Amino acid sequence: MNSPLRSIGILGNHTPRQCGLATFTSHLHGAFSEAFPELDSFVLAMNDPGMRYVYPSQVRLELPEADRSAYEQAAVRLNADATDLLNVQHEYGIYGGRAGEYLLNLLRGLRMPIVTTLHTLLPRPNADQLAVMNELTSLSQRVVVMSSQGADILREVHGVPAAKIDFIPHGIPSIPFGSHGKGKLGFAGKNLILTFGLLSPDKGIEYVIDALPAVLAEFPETVYLVLGATHPHLRAQQGEAYREMLQDRAERLGVASHVVLDNRFVSQEELNEVLGAADIYITPYLKEEQSTSGTLAYAVGCGKAVISTPYLYAKELLAEGRGLLVPWRDPGAMAREIQSLLGDEAKTLDLRQRAAAHGRTMSWPAVANSYRASFERASSEFAAAHPTRFQVLSSLGAGGERSWRKANALEPVAVGREAGSPGRPSFPRKGLTVRLRQFSDTTKRKELMQGERNSAVVDEMPDPVQKSLGLVAKSPLMLNLLKQARRVAKVDATVLITGESGAGKEQLARFIHETSARAAGPFVAVNCGAISETLFESELFGHARGAFTGATQERPGLFEAANHGTILLDEIGEVSLAMQVKLLRAIQEREIRRVGENKSRPIDVRILAATNRNLVSDVEQGGFRQDLFYRLKVVELPVPALRERKADILPLAHFLLAKSALRMNRKVTGLAPVAANKLLRYDWPGNVRELENAMERAVALAAGKRIEPEDLPEEILQGTVPVATQENPMFPRIASVRPLPEIEKEYILAALAFNAGNQTRTADQLQIGAATLYRKLKGYGRIINERPAKEAPVCAAGLSSAS
């Protein structure tokens, strides 16, 4: 059954918001309205928190990202406005809630077909991303991808039928072939290498800068232009730290005069000029899973000679000789390919001609036609699934349909903005009368069932980095710890991370690295306790050829491997006193000396250390150098044991359960109440690591969709909480006898956690003096120098940003 399209809404970002998705949505709407002027097409624009923009007239609705109710009101508005179809531009970090789940509130309420364009598809999504994407694709009549790898992920990871997927390439503007206009831009007589787009550490710009010395040795008239403003979310969190790091790097390598870091978000017209002038375009991105890149599509479309790292989209778009791929983080390979293109005009021309020929299939007019075909298919499929509705509408005609919709739906409302802007209708905000449309009984039952399945309200999730590392935090202790970690990540201070084995010290160290300006650099974790003393110096600092028996060639150490990134010295308390002296020198001087060499080598490394030992006690007993201790403990972050943060046990268990279920391809989705209670009652001496092992075992053994008590390890079933026996109810049955001081310590720390770190309140409840509590905490290693603040602050979840 056909359903003619008359009104199309496009949901996404829109210029003047500065991001790739905003540019894409703006261009798609422009191309669509130009190709099909008879259609009423408009945009619903997402606003990031605290931001408002002066939008053009095609933006009829603004939605605040974090306002859940605005999504529901938008559905009301679209239903009442006689919109025939909604095209959703989906990118992670654009929509509010867990993995963007607020978007689902809008889509569940719509009475029209939905076509979703996916800008990022993750081959290994976390549990929340998997759940949201599964429902998003289920609610959509059709799903658009921009690469064949994206279609593979949809089929294999999310179970989307191939017949539901449309491949439509990323659109590109019309840019003349060739390199021209360099003089106008100030690059006359130069070889111009270009990277453009919003700047962030995952773009890998530093590796191109590292390649420049070799390139300039052969082609000294070469300039590397990095065009693009720093990503707004990154700038809000870290300022211009990444850009400053790039500038410092260029100066240190002596190539600063050949690197232009142009901190601007330019117009399409100016971008076309710069693209036209470039000789080589390079995308050194660091995320393998990136399934779309508008900047790469533009470069190929205008016939540039392209060099790229092998992320998913690049491998597909640059196939068949349309570009060159280089290994990840390999400046040497980049330099060789740049030299080969600058030195071989025939090779460069062949590459550019192949790219330009492919680019003709990606023009915005061709893309608009493909979207129109996808929209028509979705409309027909939706009409066939809702015959009663479309029989009524088709009998009324266009004008009657609009009147019927308004009479049988909802009065329109403005969402997230003041209504009455010039050229736009005014919508009342109050006094709404809700009347449901008339659907077939089958449709009603389906929608009611869908609403019941999706009625649960969930909390905000942490930022993507925190979630990917398993740093699930609900307890005040853990929330406060993550707040401090975010603060210290912004500076290059040395951090000492303390806590019991398995508590998550390495995850916290990775979190600090991933949220710092060094995130694009390597993260090297060194288990100091696992390296023999005879090899320790060589492992950390490297050695020269012939430095000792078996040293047949020179070898850089782990400090050099971590250059421009972060090194974690795990189990630092296990290092011998002799090596502590050498470590102290490396940390103080920021330089190392390979074994067997006389010269020192500078290092640019952020140093983190971790231990499960009480270093204060070790210092007092002479087992650890006091000067090294204070050099490491510029900032100390104590990771609480899992038993001290009971509120985190079940959220962590669900996260680890979903992770194991995804890896094992098992449909285990939750915990039986009795099993959950067993987890809460257990002491977790092995901390998060033990919980992870328990969840992995339970997922492997589960007979159904829930983990039952019998799926858990025996020690968890026995628990540690005393239980009275039938034989002698006066005495509890215990698994083993434990020293009273140990039990007292656990109870005091649990009480302190219960009171969110407030020592005064904890002392009152324990009926002991505040001085006594302070003394005990100091003995437990919780206080070293000074009394902490009475109230531990609670922090909110971090930002999520789309690239």
Side-chain angles (χ1 to χ4, degrees):
M1 182 180 299
N2 292 327
S3 172
L5 294 172
R6 286 178 287 271
S7 178
I8 305 294
I10 304 175
L11 173 64
N13 296 348
H14 196 285
T15 54
R17 182 171 177 177
Q18 296 182 359
C19 69
L21 187 64
T23 302
F24 181 93
T25 306
S26 306
H27 287 171
L28 176 61
H29 175 268
F32 201 79
S33 59
E34 183 175 347
F36 309 108
E38 72 279 7
L39 289 177
D40 174 29
S41 59
F42 60 94
V43 175
L44 299 84
M46 297 301 305
N47 286 344
D48 39 353
M51 298 299 293
R52 296 289 297 274
Y53 303 93
V54 181
Y55 289 116
S57 59
Q58 61 262 31
V59 176
R60 296 185 189 168
L61 205 65
E62 297 177 37
L63 280 77
E65 173 189 324
D67 184 354
R68 182 194 291 267
S69 65
Y71 294 81
E72 298 166 354
Q73 294 174 35
V76 171
R77 163 76 178 272
L78 289 170
N79 288 334
D81 246 11
T83 305
D84 291 306
L85 179 141
L86 180 67
N87 173 220
V88 177
Q89 301 296 320
H90 183 269
E91 176 63 278
Y92 291 103
I94 299 302
Y95 305 101
R98 294 185 177 187
E101 61 131 8
Y102 288 1
L103 171 64
L104 302 179
N105 290 3
L106 189 162
L107 303 186
R108 292 171 191 144
L110 293 181
R111 305 293 180 259
M112 64 194 67
I114 300 163
V115 175
T116 297
T117 303
L118 299 174
H119 289 256
T120 296
L121 276 161
L122 303 175
R124 293 175 292 277
N126 62 37
D128 297 306
Q129 292 165 342
L130 181 68
V132 170
M133 184 61 70
N134 285 348
E135 185 171 355
L136 173 61
T137 54
S138 175
L139 291 169
S140 303
Q141 266 58 53
R142 305 206 64 77
V143 184
V144 175
V145 295
M146 303 184 204
S147 66
S148 59
Q149 289 96 336
D152 292 342
I153 292 172
L154 275 181
R155 291 192 300 270
E156 296 167 8
V157 178
H158 301 285
V160 179
K164 191 175 183 176
I165 303 171
D166 291 330
F167 170 74
I168 303 177
H170 194 294
I172 59 170
S174 175
I175 302 172
F177 180 82
S179 296
H180 48 83
K182 290 183 182 179
K184 181 180 178 181
L185 298 174
F187 299 118
K190 304 291 186 183
N191 300 311
L192 182 59
I193 304 171
L194 172 67
T195 298
F196 79 89
L198 291 177
L199 196 65
S200 59
D202 59 1
K203 297 300 174 66
I205 306 298
E206 58 269 34
Y207 296 102
V208 185
I209 294 175
D210 289 348
L212 284 181
V215 173
L216 294 171
E218 188 172 349
F219 300 96
E221 297 302 319
T222 299
V223 175
Y224 179 37
L225 171 61
V226 181
L227 176 61
T230 300
H231 196 292
H233 288 172
L234 180 69
R235 189 168 59 244
Q237 288 182 315
Q238 302 176 11
E240 295 290 350
Y242 180 62
R243 185 180 299 276
E244 291 165 1
M245 183 274 285
L246 295 177
Q247 189 65 52
D248 291 344
R249 199 174 191 127
E251 291 175 358
R252 190 170 61 250
L253 292 172
V255 298
S257 61
H258 297 267
V259 176
V260 179
L261 301 175
D262 193 343
N263 191 0
R264 293 184 299 141
F265 188 88
V266 299
S267 66
Q268 185 64 52
E269 181 180 0
E270 185 172 355
L271 177 59
N272 291 354
E273 291 179 351
V274 176
L275 269 171
D279 297 293
I280 296 174
Y281 185 78
I282 187 163
T283 58
Y285 298 170
L286 303 178
K287 289 184 177 179
E288 182 178 7
E289 66 271 16
Q290 185 160 340
S291 57
T292 308
S293 169
T295 62
L296 183 61
Y298 281 20
V300 169
C302 68
K304 294 290 103 175
V306 178
I307 300 172
S308 178
T309 48
Y311 53 93
L312 289 179
Y313 188 61
K315 287 196 290 187
E316 180 169 331
L317 194 57
L318 302 182
E320 300 177 0
R322 295 188 290 267
L324 302 174
L325 297 177
V326 294
W328 306 102
R329 300 179 172 88
D330 192 338
M334 291 180 187
R336 289 190 293 272
E337 293 296 5
I338 293 171
Q339 290 167 336
S340 73
L341 292 177
L342 294 179
D344 189 339
E345 292 185 8
K347 176 181 179 179
T348 303
L349 181 61
D350 178 65
L351 209 66
R352 298 183 66 173
Q353 288 174 337
R354 290 172 185 266
H358 185 75
R360 286 193 286 272
T361 66
M362 302 163 64
S363 67
W364 274 117
V367 168
N369 281 317
S370 297
Y371 270 95
R372 175 68 183 265
S374 179
F375 293 169
E376 293 286 0
R377 284 195 296 272
S379 182
S380 297
E381 291 162 1
F382 189 80
H386 303 84
T388 304
R389 170 179 181 269
F390 279 96
Q391 287 168 4
V392 172
L393 297 183
S394 60
S395 68
L396 295 173
E401 174 188 342
R402 189 170 295 270
S403 300
W404 185 89
R405 288 181 191 244
K406 290 188 176 182
N408 290 278
L410 300 160
E411 291 298 319
V413 296
V415 179
R417 71 179 301 145
E418 291 300 322
S421 301
R424 301 178 191 171
S426 178
F427 300 97
R429 287 185 176 274
K430 297 180 180 179
L432 297 181
T433 302
V434 180
R435 288 178 288 172
L436 296 177
R437 293 182 180 181
Q438 304 303 308
F439 287 88
S440 66
D441 289 341
T442 302
T443 303
K444 285 182 180 178
R445 285 195 297 272
K446 287 181 178 178
E447 290 176 351
L448 285 171
M449 291 172 65
Q450 182 70 29
E452 290 171 0
R453 284 196 299 269
N454 298 308
S455 61
V457 177
V458 294
D459 297 331
E460 287 279 359
M461 292 305 295
D463 64 71
V465 173
Q466 179 183 328
K467 191 66 165 54
S468 67
L469 294 172
L471 291 171
V472 181
K474 296 287 185 182
S475 66
L477 273 177
M478 201 63 186
L479 288 170
N480 186 45
L481 177 68
L482 290 176
K483 181 177 181 180
Q484 293 177 23
R486 287 191 187 94
R487 287 177 178 173
V488 78
K490 296 178 182 179
V491 295
D492 253 3
T494 305
V495 179
L496 177 63
I497 304 173
T498 58
E500 295 181 4
S501 179
K505 297 187 293 296
E506 182 173 336
Q507 283 74 16
L508 185 65
R510 288 183 181 275
F511 176 73
I512 293 171
H513 169 73
E514 294 292 344
T515 53
S516 74
R518 294 179 177 269
F523 176 88
V524 177
V526 184
N527 186 345
C528 298
I531 304 175
S532 67
E533 185 173 354
T534 55
L535 294 177
F536 195 90
E537 185 176 3
S538 172
E539 287 291 318
L540 261 63
F541 304 141
H543 61 253
R545 180 180 179 182
F548 49 83
T549 303
T552 57
Q553 58 185 8
E554 68 173 20
R555 178 188 174 191
L558 296 174
F559 267 97
E560 290 181 76
N563 219 21
H564 309 307
T566 304
I567 189 168
L568 169 65
L569 302 174
D570 199 6
E571 303 301 343
I572 189 67
E574 306 301 323
V575 178
S576 68
L577 286 170
M579 278 308 303
Q580 289 177 31
V581 177
K582 297 182 179 182
L583 268 180
L584 177 63
R585 182 183 181 279
I587 295 171
Q588 286 184 160
E589 304 300 329
R590 296 294 173 178
E591 62 181 27
I592 55 95
R593 184 177 298 169
R594 292 181 181 177
V595 177
E597 283 188 349
N598 293 324
K599 66 176 182 179
S600 296
R601 299 171 181 264
I603 52 171
D604 175 19
V605 177
R606 199 243 179 91
I607 297 171
L608 307 177
T611 184
N612 59 8
R613 298 172 64 103
N614 186 338
L615 291 186
V616 175
S617 176
D618 288 350
V619 168
E620 292 173 352
Q621 296 172 15
F624 200 86
R625 292 181 62 93
Q626 187 178 53
D627 47 5
L628 178 59
F629 172 70
Y630 286 113
R631 180 63 64 177
L632 293 172
K633 197 185 79 69
V634 176
V635 177
E636 181 180 1
L637 295 179
V639 181
L642 189 55
R643 61 182 170 275
E644 296 170 21
R645 47 187 181 109
K646 292 285 188 180
D648 295 336
I649 291 176
L650 291 185
L652 262 171
H654 282 99
F655 170 81
L656 296 170
L657 183 158
K659 178 181 172 183
S660 294
L662 181 64
R663 185 173 59 81
M664 297 181 191
N665 196 25
R666 299 216 61 200
K667 295 182 178 179
V668 182
T669 58
L671 294 159
V674 176
N677 189 49
K678 291 290 185 184
L679 298 183
L680 288 172
R681 290 164 62 89
Y682 186 56
D683 270 351
W684 300 107
N687 291 299
V688 179
R689 188 181 295 128
E690 184 182 9
L691 177 60
E692 183 173 17
N693 292 340
M695 289 300 96
E696 186 173 357
R697 176 189 190 275
V699 169
L701 295 179
K705 291 187 176 181
R706 296 193 311 180
I707 289 176
E708 301 293 340
E710 57 267 24
D711 302 322
L712 299 173
E714 185 62 30
E715 59 269 20
I716 296 176
L717 295 180
Q718 290 180 359
T720 58
V721 177
V723 179
T725 64
Q726 289 183 349
E727 296 85 356
N728 191 347
M730 294 293 293
F731 296 96
R733 180 175 59 207
I734 58 176
S736 60
V737 176
R738 300 168 63 199
L740 282 175
E742 182 180 326
I743 297 172
E744 180 189 64
K745 174 185 174 182
E746 289 181 8
Y747 191 78
I748 288 174
L749 293 177
L752 187 68
F754 179 81
N755 288 308
N758 189 316
Q759 294 181 30
T760 303
R761 188 161 60 239
T762 302
D764 288 342
Q765 292 177 354
L766 293 174
Q767 298 183 13
I768 61 176
T772 301
L773 176 61
Y774 178 80
R775 187 172 62 254
K776 288 182 178 293
L777 292 175
K778 189 170 184 179
Y780 302 154
R782 295 299 176 184
I783 300 173
I784 294 177
N785 289 327
E786 58 184 2
R787 197 183 299 264
K790 289 185 177 181
E791 295 291 345
V794 178
C795 72
L799 291 173
S800 171
S801 65
S803 58

